Amino acid sequence: MKGILKIYHPEETLKYNIRNTYCKAVYSNQQHVLEVEIITDDGLDHVDDDSLQYNFPQLSLKVFDFLIDSGEIEGKTITINDSDEEIYTEVDLFDDEDAFIYDNELAFEKNEEGELEVIWKGTINDFYTGSETPLPFRLKCEFTQDEIVVDED
């Protein structure tokens, strides 16, 4: 498992396992920009049938084109707050609903195995019940290389 996303709803803590991760500091037009994408697994084996999560089995969280001061992100904490003019984050619910994330804080460190990992904290719209109060979330995942197995047939 690459990690876990927890959304703290007042009725229950929703847990999403991480399937795919992508993180890169890109040098573009003489500037460094941060790109991060976290896609959750759509498996629901660990979810009760009456859970709020059952209607939203998968999420994707993204950061794109966010200016950073260098290509090195290890050991840094990055705060991202979108405005009406500049949007750097996106949530995909894989359906027709919309959601936005706020007060994003991404802390990048190396774990015991030497792999880069992120702890991402913030708030997200309550797309589960439509409440006006944003829900806190916490995501922790590592950016490990996927093992690609090729059959020699």
Side-chain angles (χ1 to χ4, degrees), residues 32-49:
H32 291 284
V33 293
L34 178 66
E35 293 187 6
V36 178
E37 182 174 21
I38 312 290
I39 302 173
T40 65
D41 191 314
D42 60 0
L44 293 171
D45 294 343
H46 65 290
V47 177
D48 294 332
D49 288 343

Side-chain angles (χ1 to χ4, degrees), residues 16-17 20-24 28 32 38 56 58 63 68 80 88 95 99 102 107 111 117 130-131 137 147 149-151:
Y16 290 88
N17 294 322
N20 292 334
T21 59
Y22 170 81
C23 179
K24 192 166 194 170
S28 175
H32 291 284
I38 312 290
F56 297 94
Q58 187 176 22
V63 172
I68 53 177
I80 302 172
Y88 301 107
D95 75 351
Y102 311 95
N111 63 17
E117 66 181 18
S131 165
F137 72 86
E147 294 286 328
V149 179
V150 178
D151 291 334

Side-chain angles (χ1 to χ4, degrees), residues 30 34 45 55 61 64 75 80-81 102 119-120 130 134 149 152:
Q30 300 180 353
L34 178 66
D45 294 343
N55 293 323
L61 303 176
F64 53 91
I80 302 172
N81 288 305
Y102 311 95
I119 296 176
W120 184 345
V149 179
E152 297 292 327

Side-chain angles (χ1 to χ4, degrees), residues 133-152:
T133 306
L135 305 172
F137 72 86
R138 185 175 189 273
L139 179 149
K140 182 176 181 180
C141 72
E142 57 188 36
F143 299 102
T144 55
Q145 189 73 26
D146 287 333
E147 294 286 328
I148 300 173
V149 179
V150 178
D151 291 334
E152 297 292 327

